[in-house]
Amino acid sequence: MKKGFVTAFAVFLFFSVFPHVETFAIANTPIHWGFNKGKNGQQADAGAAYNAVLQKYGGVYKGNPKDKYLYLTFDNGYENGYTPKILDVLKKEKVPAIFFVTGHYLKSQPDLVKRMVAEGHIIGNHSWGHPDMTQISDAQVREELAKVKEETARITGQKEMKYLRPPRGILSERTMQLANEEGYTHVLWSLAYQDWDVNRQHGARYAYDSIMSQIHPGAIILLHTVSKDNAEVLERVIKDLKKQGYKFKSMDDFMKIEKVKK
């Protein structure tokens, strides 16, 4: 009896100190997204362990290596004056994209978000406050996602939100499971370069080479709209990739083509 009391008290004390510990029944070890870059038309590869986790929870980062399809994605944490030009290029070239937005972007740039949806692009969830979601509670993760979805619907009328890009590229099995429960698919990427640092822009040629050297069939391309270089080079990149036989598809197309299931 005494032993049972001690055990019960220990459990009570543990959950009092760690009220969200139930979430850690599913592994919460942070995964900092990364991969071996694609080269000479060969696909990028995140390795067996990361591939297995994504497959388990229905996350994606690249498509079929036999299809010359590309998926253009942008992360929008704040506006730096270049998104209108990027949207102009996408419209001119008839290329669909998905923009992963934060709460700050929704609050500060509602007109641009409206334009994205009006021109046929998808708004994805990049969280409200851009936290490391492996370090916050289940309830906080759900709130981060819900606020972006609700504000996007209010601004644009886009009622459905299906795609999530984890802030900072950090995720875990726990956060993936939570996202699945909220109806989201994790969309990572297989092509990126250091374009997000506005103090380290190296010119259009550098941006062009960084993208084209990594291109591969099925690539999910991550770009940041804060980059001056991206805005300057995007049209050339798109036109040259079309000349190589690539076709740009939306994330909704990706899900149909790849038949992704959570």
Side-chain angles (χ1 to χ4, degrees):
M1 189 72 176
K2 184 177 180 181
K3 182 179 179 181
F5 173 79
V6 171
T7 301
F9 179 75
V11 170
F12 169 78
L13 182 62
F14 185 79
F15 279 95
S16 296
V17 176
F18 302 103
H20 305 296
V21 73
E22 74 278 0
T23 63
F24 295 94
I26 301 174
N28 194 50
T29 304
I31 295 170
H32 294 256
W33 183 245
F35 49 85
N36 292 319
K37 293 181 178 181
K39 189 176 181 180
N40 298 321
Q42 296 298 307
Q43 283 196 315
D45 186 23
Y50 282 10
N51 288 337
V53 170
L54 289 190
Q55 184 175 19
K56 182 177 179 180
Y57 294 99
V60 301
Y61 76 102
K62 62 181 179 180
N64 192 319
K66 296 180 181 179
D67 294 330
K68 294 195 78 170
Y69 297 150
L70 300 173
Y71 305 89
L72 194 54
T73 77
F74 294 91
D75 283 2
N76 290 70
Y78 66 97
E79 182 53 40
N80 198 31
Y82 302 115
T83 304
K85 183 174 182 178
I86 287 170
L87 287 169
D88 289 344
V89 170
L90 297 178
K91 185 176 182 179
K92 179 182 177 183
E93 293 298 320
K94 296 180 173 60
V95 169
I98 181 168
F99 293 87
F100 290 95
V101 302
T102 62
H104 174 79
Y105 200 87
L106 287 166
K107 287 294 190 182
S108 63
Q109 301 297 328
D111 289 342
L112 282 175
V113 178
K114 287 178 185 177
R115 181 181 171 187
M116 291 168 188
V117 173
E119 295 181 359
H121 304 298
I122 299 171
I123 304 298
N125 204 320
H126 200 37
S127 81
W128 188 259
H130 208 259
D132 174 350
M133 292 203 289
T134 68
Q135 302 302 308
I136 59 178
S137 71
D138 289 20
Q140 288 171 314
V141 170
R142 295 185 198 277
E143 182 181 18
E144 285 282 331
L145 301 181
K147 288 173 72 175
V148 171
K149 180 178 180 179
E150 291 165 6
E151 185 66 8
T152 299
R154 188 189 70 79
I155 292 171
T156 71
Q158 177 187 290
K159 302 296 183 184
E160 191 174 38
M161 187 167 277
K162 301 180 291 186
Y163 307 114
L164 166 67
R165 175 155 289 156
R168 314 179 196 186
I170 304 174
L171 60 150
S172 70
E173 290 199 49
R174 177 182 76 97
T175 61
M176 293 193 80
Q177 177 62 38
L178 285 168
N180 283 2
E181 290 171 6
E182 296 300 314
Y184 287 94
T185 295
H186 268 68
V187 177
L188 284 306
W189 59 92
S190 63
L191 191 160
Y193 77 104
Q194 196 173 358
D195 62 341
W196 49 266
D197 189 342
V198 297
N199 296 315
R200 297 182 66 182
Q201 300 294 294
H202 301 294
R205 182 71 198 186
Y206 177 87
Y208 180 88
D209 290 344
S210 296
I211 296 168
M212 300 300 282
S213 65
Q214 298 181 63
I215 210 71
H216 62 79
I220 295 180
I221 302 168
L222 165 60
L223 298 176
H224 289 79
T225 60
V226 295
S227 168
K228 178 177 181 289
D229 294 350
N230 285 343
E232 290 181 352
V233 80
L234 184 61
E235 184 173 354
R236 181 186 173 199
V237 165
I238 290 172
K239 286 182 174 179
D240 285 358
L241 288 173
K242 285 179 177 179
K243 289 176 184 176
Q244 292 182 24
Y246 283 102
K247 295 180 180 179
F248 289 86
K249 299 286 187 178
S250 72
M251 277 316 301
D252 284 348
D253 292 329
F254 181 101
M255 301 301 283
K256 293 173 185 176
I257 293 166
E258 303 297 331
K259 297 180 175 61
V260 177
K261 295 181 180 179
K262 292 194 285 292

